[in-house]
Amino acid sequence: MEEGLRAALLAHAGLAALVDSRIDWGERPAGLPSIRLQVVSKVPIYTYAGRVGLTPYRIQADCFGARYGDAKRVARAFEVALATLSRPAWDACFVENERDDQENDGTGKPVARTSLDVRIWHQS
């Protein structure tokens, strides 16, 4: 799922125009704007017959920018890209929560962040 989601997001022209290839799992990519993705939860679904192919994921997407408005633009483009993911692999994708914050870039300079909690139902 992780590789496929990153590839699908990078293939979205509007999002790629903002972040280029700066979307990655686990670590914030060097440069701004960028997106860091993290799996918060993955809960496979089972029946008495065994595991079914549909798995719900909760993903945190941290959208970074040099300023607040930059982070918001990336978050909005991310939402648009998410809405274009197609079936059957991506059965449902929607934002459940959003919050704003900032963090340090390692040199003492603040970096704006908009974090999105996303629910994705992925068909494996």
Side-chain angles (χ1 to χ4, degrees):
M1 188 283 302
E2 289 87 342
E3 297 84 358
L5 179 60
R6 182 176 183 271
L9 293 170
L10 288 171
H12 189 270
L15 183 59
L18 289 173
V19 300
D20 192 33
S21 63
R22 294 182 300 271
I23 300 174
D24 211 345
W25 290 94
E27 293 186 24
R28 180 168 61 89
L32 293 172
S34 61
I35 300 174
R36 174 180 58 209
L37 302 170
Q38 299 178 81
V39 174
V40 175
S41 68
K42 171 186 173 184
V43 184
I45 298 174
Y46 291 88
T47 67
Y48 287 113
R51 185 173 174 179
V52 299
L54 190 62
T55 302
Y57 288 81
R58 186 166 181 202
I59 305 296
Q60 180 174 316
D62 294 317
C63 303
F64 296 97
R67 291 188 248 169
Y68 177 81
D70 300 331
K72 282 296 184 188
R73 273 187 287 286
V74 173
R76 298 298 164 252
F78 177 87
E79 287 185 80
V80 170
L82 194 68
T84 67
L85 296 179
S86 61
R87 290 183 173 183
W90 313 101
D91 197 49
C93 304
F94 49 90
V95 175
E96 292 185 327
N97 191 31
E98 180 176 326
R99 64 200 163 278
D100 298 318
D101 196 2
Q102 66 179 3
E103 64 180 47
N104 191 312
D105 71 354
T107 67
K109 185 176 179 182
V111 175
R113 175 178 62 201
T114 296
S115 295
L116 304 172
D117 293 331
V118 178
R119 178 73 60 192
I120 296 178
W121 290 78
H122 183 256
Q123 189 72 37
S124 53

